[in-house]
Amino acid sequence: MTTPLVEMDGDEMTRILWKMIKDELILPFVELKTEYYDLGLPERDKTEDKITVASAEATKKYGVAVKCATITPNHQRMDEYKLHQMWKSPNGTIRSILDGTVFRTPIIIPSIKPAVKNWELPITIARHAYGDVYKSVEIRADEPGVARLVFDGESGKHQEVVIQNFKGAGVLQGMHNTDKSIRSFAHSCFKFAIDSRQDLWFSTKDTISKTYDAQFKSIFAEVYEEYKAQFEELGLSYFYTLIDDAVARVIRSKGGFIWACKNYDGDVMSDMVSTAFGSLAMMTSVLVSPDGKYEYEAAHGTVTRHYYKYLAGEETSTNPMATIFAWSGALRKRGELDGLSALVNYADQLEAACFDTLNEGIVTKDLVNLMEGITPKAVTSAEFIAAIRERLARKLA
């Protein structure tokens, strides 16, 4: 390696797997260079979350990062870890600094059939990771009254509409987005589609949301003009439709495309797609900024239940596939950017060794009941990683 990866360590069981993966699958084969950031909850608390910001800035500097799953604390976690405050989601902080879009793609194997029988190829969800419900403000109206949406511009322009004339108690919510963020989302989606040679679908509900969702639609149409020639040259298509029509089309499709969604839609649909393809533990995730910075991670959490078993001295059968693919994705991208064909080949062979292991029926417990046509053997995480190492070593010999 010539340029370091930004390495973001994490929490609980995925932190344990992180070290196992490095020790068994990476360090024996790669002269690894990383700039290390510990995003485990204790260190985030100790640094007042400055380390999360530093890791994102490092990603902007070096261009490629790999991240372990982390905890976003609630009241229970605040007490458990004796935190000074409930720190924000590290993923949200990193996304905001990189101005990135999250692309999530299932890892598929022949023995695990999708719940949707006609799906043959992976479906990648592109989630706009800014605004909407996730940055909304809310009011509980506990009496009759008038709710208004008000905007006062710097120029002195005043806009005001009545949201609802409440006759009794109710609730109201204000959401926002920015043209800048929507435009960055669009650029990331079109660039990712070109890089991965896949068609791009985009869906909102502009027939109902005639200003908010309509702005997404119009900005995407405008940005597409910048990429239209490349799309046509590569034989790719860009397709816009309403979100409800998109759902129906996705279910009837064979897969093999990118489905771009607003923040909430992408949050929900990525879990639907991953579960329908088999398991959330078999879902990759990469954050891509419009200026071409990449942060790879697993799409799942820190596997708390298994971590408590691990602390009790029990062996666990936690699926490390998405975390392994975070490493392989980051190392492949680093190799591509730096012109290191051997590093790209290593990443390809690591993934191939994972597939060989799974296809031979050596699996973690979560996959046993999903497999068809073979007799799976459930093993511990350590045994699973050891089996991958054995096959990887043969491929790289």
Side-chain angles (χ1 to χ4, degrees):
M1 293 181 64
T2 52
T3 310
L5 281 179
V6 177
E7 178 186 351
M8 306 175 186
D9 211 341
D11 288 298
E12 297 188 326
M13 198 64 216
T14 45
R15 187 184 182 96
I16 306 302
L17 293 174
W18 193 261
K19 186 176 187 307
M20 292 169 62
I21 290 165
K22 283 182 66 177
D23 289 347
E24 294 295 320
L25 300 180
I26 300 174
L27 294 176
F29 305 100
V30 177
E31 293 179 3
L32 185 65
K33 289 185 179 180
T34 71
E35 187 164 298
Y36 178 85
Y37 294 86
D38 184 355
L39 300 193
L41 197 46
E43 192 65 21
R44 279 183 276 144
D45 190 62
K46 179 182 174 182
T47 64
E48 298 181 334
D49 209 30
K50 290 183 175 65
I51 194 162
T52 305
V53 175
S55 72
E57 293 296 341
T59 304
K60 291 173 71 175
K61 176 182 177 180
Y62 291 111
V64 185
V66 59
K67 180 182 173 296
C68 183
T70 47
I71 295 169
T72 300
N74 54 15
H75 285 289
Q76 176 190 335
R77 296 301 200 147
M78 188 172 176
D79 293 340
E80 180 183 354
Y81 281 85
K82 297 179 173 56
L83 305 176
H84 291 93
Q85 64 174 275
M86 282 188 289
W87 303 105
K88 294 180 180 179
S89 161
N91 290 342
T93 299
I94 294 165
R95 289 168 191 163
S96 179
I97 292 172
L98 294 181
D99 195 19
T101 295
V102 179
F103 296 88
R104 290 185 167 176
T105 308
I107 302 165
I108 62 174
I109 57 175
S111 57
I112 298 180
K113 307 297 183 187
V116 181
K117 63 181 181 181
N118 44 283
W119 285 357
E120 299 174 1
L121 298 169
I123 296 169
T124 297
I125 299 291
R127 175 186 170 191
H128 183 212
Y130 177 81
D132 297 346
V133 172
Y134 303 86
K135 281 191 173 290
S136 68
V137 293
E138 302 173 321
I139 292 176
R140 163 62 173 159
D142 57 6
E143 62 177 327
V146 179
R148 294 182 173 88
L149 185 65
V150 177
F151 175 76
D152 289 310
E154 288 186 356
S155 67
K157 180 181 180 180
H158 177 82
Q159 293 175 268
E160 182 176 317
V161 293
V162 173
I163 298 171
Q164 176 67 18
N165 192 344
F166 284 92
K167 304 302 181 185
V171 290
L172 57 146
Q173 180 184 73
M175 301 194 313
H176 82 281
N177 229 294
T178 68
D179 284 9
K180 178 180 181 295
S181 181
I182 299 168
R183 198 173 302 279
S184 293
F185 175 41
H187 279 291
S188 294
C189 289
F190 288 117
K191 287 178 179 178
F192 193 83
I194 289 168
D195 287 346
S196 60
R197 303 295 194 268
Q198 294 183 88
D199 293 339
L200 175 65
W201 297 15
F202 179 51
S203 58
T204 69
K205 192 69 171 177
D206 66 286
T207 52
I208 300 299
S209 177
K210 298 180 187 297
T211 300
Y212 193 103
D213 280 24
Q215 186 68 353
F216 276 82
K217 179 184 178 182
S218 62
I219 287 176
F220 260 74
E222 177 187 328
V223 172
Y224 174 56
E225 292 302 313
E226 299 180 36
Y227 298 92
K228 188 175 181 179
Q230 285 178 276
F231 265 60
E232 290 177 350
E233 182 181 340
L234 295 170
L236 303 177
S237 64
Y238 167 62
F239 174 70
Y240 172 82
T241 190
L242 298 174
I243 182 68
D244 46 345
D245 180 56
V247 170
R249 288 173 180 267
V250 165
I251 295 300
R252 292 196 302 265
S253 77
K254 292 184 178 180
F257 54 86
I258 301 164
W259 181 12
C261 297
K262 289 167 53 194
N263 207 348
Y264 180 79
D265 295 341
D267 192 3
V268 175
M269 293 305 169
S270 65
D271 278 6
M272 183 273 287
V273 167
S274 64
T275 304
F277 270 105
S279 170
L280 190 58
M282 301 278 281
M283 192 80 164
T284 66
S285 181
V286 56
L287 178 72
V288 183
S289 71
D291 60 346
K293 313 300 184 195
Y294 298 81
E295 181 247 304
Y296 293 82
E297 62 183 328
H300 57 69
T302 58
V303 202
T304 305
R305 182 171 58 87
H306 286 197
Y307 181 60
Y308 292 148
K309 288 184 176 182
Y310 171 83
L311 291 179
E314 297 180 36
E315 289 276 7
T316 68
S317 184
T318 315
N319 191 333
M321 280 288 290
T323 305
I324 294 172
F325 271 59
W327 274 102
S328 63
L331 290 166
R332 180 185 293 107
K333 180 56 68 176
R334 187 74 273 163
E336 290 171 353
L337 293 175
D338 293 349
L340 302 174
S341 58
L343 189 58
V344 173
N345 178 64
Y346 160 79
D348 291 342
Q349 297 305 323
L350 173 57
E351 292 181 3
C354 290
F355 286 125
D356 286 351
T357 305
L358 292 170
N359 290 332
E360 290 172 35
I362 302 170
V363 298
T364 47
K365 286 183 179 178
D366 60 308
L367 301 181
V368 169
N369 293 329
L370 299 174
M371 304 187 87
E372 302 175 18
I374 61 175
T375 304
K377 175 189 176 185
V379 296
T380 66
S381 301
E383 290 169 338
F384 183 67
I385 290 172
I388 295 170
R389 176 174 176 170
E390 179 185 336
R391 287 152 183 79
L392 176 61
R394 288 203 298 262
K395 288 179 177 296
L396 295 175

